[in-house]
Amino acid sequence: MFLRLAWFSLLSRKGSVLLTLLAISVSIFVLLGIEHIRQQAKSSFGNTVSGVDLIVGARTGDINLLLYSVFRLGNATNNISWSSYQNIQSQPQVAWSIPISLGDSHKGFRVMGTDRGYFEHFRYGQKRPLTLAQGKPFDKVFDVVLGAKVAEQLKYQLGDQLTLSHGMGSTSFSEHKDKPFRVVGILEGTGTPVDQTLHVSLQGIEAVHLNWQSGPHKKRKKAEALADLQQLEPESITAFMLGLKSKMAIFRLQRNINNFPKEPLLAILPGVTLTQLWEMMAAVEQSLQLVSALVLLASLLGLSAMLLTSIRERQREITIMRMLGASPLFIFILIQLEAMLITLSALAIALLSLVATTMLTGEWLAKDLGVHLSPWAPNASSILMMAAILLSAFLVSLAPAISAYSRAK
Amino acid sequence: MAVSIQQLRFAYPSDTAKTVLNIPEWSVAQGESVFLHGPSGTGKSTLLNLLAGILQCREGTLEVLGHSLHTMSGRQRDRFRARHIGFVFQQFNLIPYLNVLDNVLLASYFADRASGREDALTLLQELQLDAELCRKKASELSVGQQQRVAIARALISKPEMLIVDEPTSALDTDNRDIFMQLLLELVQRHQMTLLFVSHDRSLDRGFHRSVSLQEFNQAAHAGESI
């Protein structure tokens, strides 16, 4: 009877109830939506690299090194000499290493020179290795392995030929047109910057730069080099990743690298720097949460105001119920029940639209923005949030409920 | 005794200086139908609210149907009212957004009685309200129909006493006569005590007793003399 009474009472005030319902739905949608995106961003962010113990580059800021080596954002201030790399790589604590050479691009996608150790040792997400959707890792100097996004967006197939450009930008004037690369492999999608990267061998990077920039007088060297490109040895690389035999050695090796006598180097722990980077964004994230919480509060206050106004019109109704034997507590609960019905319906509407929106736009977001947004599903924090929403609805509805209670007294 | 009042004094908490009711003694016998009249402002509604247990009596004794209302808590009085007293007001007796049947069933819900839909429909039929009408919203009914639904609702939980407050003031003469006839018939059939309040003394035919509140409320006299 309680529910029936509350239900028909709300139905009799369709207009204002519906508007309040919509306002609350929208604000819950925003609140939970932002929370969902935040969590997704955070996890995909933390998933970009794993299983790498140290990242080493020329001395710069921690975050800068992380940005260009892992996220392919920004540029290195300086390179590392090949001899330093070899020196550190041969340290007894080092289990494996991945050299990284950046600086070229192809139609806006970054090109990364590395060696085959990359396909073997690089991990992302929950220690997941890279897998090839098609083909095989690069073998020859002019072989290229594409990230999933690159292949998809530029519609490349195995065996296609492409040329690299110097620097970034899709319409670079300085293209290495004389040295076309052949697609030999396409990686499975990872949801990380790997998808937007073209991978070539270090020798490939060296080869395209042989006669470039320096003009004709280097032609002789080019001719020599082309004779045996496989033997090309880079003079320098941008950065490298290290995996150690024992985690115990990480801090000692980091200190040694930071005090490397031959050139100024910087070694970072990717996990630690990822956290630092995320904390830099915490202010934005928190202000977004604050704004959405305030929007919700505003809509709940609207609910309270709507109910409070209705109480005045319902004096007669309250008297009738009192005469029939309803206690003041009954009236109080009735008003709270109406508030809960509205809030629960709003919650249901918000959740349904959230699931629908994330399902429908997920593909589009992944395709056009490279953002992976999985469909909304409840988790501990969102359930806690929903409980908080219901509690807030209860608290703001105390005003009309108490008003009705005191009128019934 | 259906009602037994002794040394009752009542003033509203908001205005304690003004005694609204001062009744040394008054009683109504079980099964009696009493027509209570008197000009407005003499405390009729206050007396009814006391008898129904909406207002609490703080001075004197007030027994209704053998229950000492002056010693009962608010919650107890609410339950007492739901189970033993039927109420019909002047106008707007019904919850406008519920249909007729739900309005009637609401009373049996509060009374915690097992009266179901069938009982309610039978009762409504006795009051010349057909099944089709019962599905209508209360706000779609004419005033005459609404007042008859109000009687059905007052009777559904089989109360021992019916309190009726100016029920005909919004009705035209024809509807008023139908209403009075139905009411008195039903009260007699169910052997209830009836307390009927009106300022229109032409209605007092068929009652066991007709009494003016001023006859036994001394506060009203005091008020008038000032």
Side-chain angles (χ1 to χ4, degrees), chain A residues 4 316-317 322-323 327, chain B residues 49 78 81 89 97 102:
Chain A
R4 235 178 128 68
R316 188 75 211 162
E317 193 185 314
R322 285 287 285 145
M323 277 301 183
S327 62
Chain B
N49 282 331
D78 290 339
R81 177 167 65 256
F89 304 109
Y97 50 77
D102 279 338

Side-chain angles (χ1 to χ4, degrees), chain A residues 47-125:
Chain A
N47 280 343
T48 44
V49 57
S50 75
V52 172
D53 293 320
L54 287 172
I55 298 177
V56 184
R59 192 161 294 163
T60 174
D62 289 12
I63 288 171
N64 190 35
L65 175 55
L66 184 80
L67 283 179
Y68 71 72
S69 63
V70 174
F71 292 95
R72 324 263 190 267
L73 288 171
N75 290 302
T77 45
N78 235 321
N79 276 1
I80 310 170
S81 71
W82 183 250
S83 61
S84 300
Y85 168 59
Q86 286 193 312
N87 183 323
I88 292 166
Q89 183 199 18
S90 59
Q91 304 266 328
Q93 306 100 309
V94 175
W96 50 263
S97 68
I98 300 169
I100 297 170
S101 185
L102 299 164
D104 284 348
S105 69
H106 173 74
K107 296 194 175 165
F109 291 102
R110 299 247 175 166
V111 174
M112 179 174 121
T114 182
D115 63 19
R116 293 188 60 150
Y118 177 73
F119 300 101
E120 211 175 305
H121 300 300
F122 185 79
R123 297 285 185 275
Y124 69 96

Side-chain angles (χ1 to χ4, degrees), chain B residues 5 28 32 36 49 58 71 78 89 97 104 112 120 140 155 170 208:
Chain B
I5 297 175
V28 176
E32 195 181 10
L36 184 66
N49 282 331
R58 290 192 175 79
T71 62
D78 290 339
F89 304 109
Y97 50 77
V104 175
D112 232 352
E140 295 165 23
L155 296 180
H208 295 137

Side-chain angles (χ1 to χ4, degrees), chain B residues 103-120:
Chain B
N103 258 294
V104 175
L105 289 173
L106 187 62
S108 64
Y109 169 77
F110 285 121
D112 232 352
R113 305 254 179 191
S115 350
R117 299 172 62 84
E118 292 311 310
D119 292 332

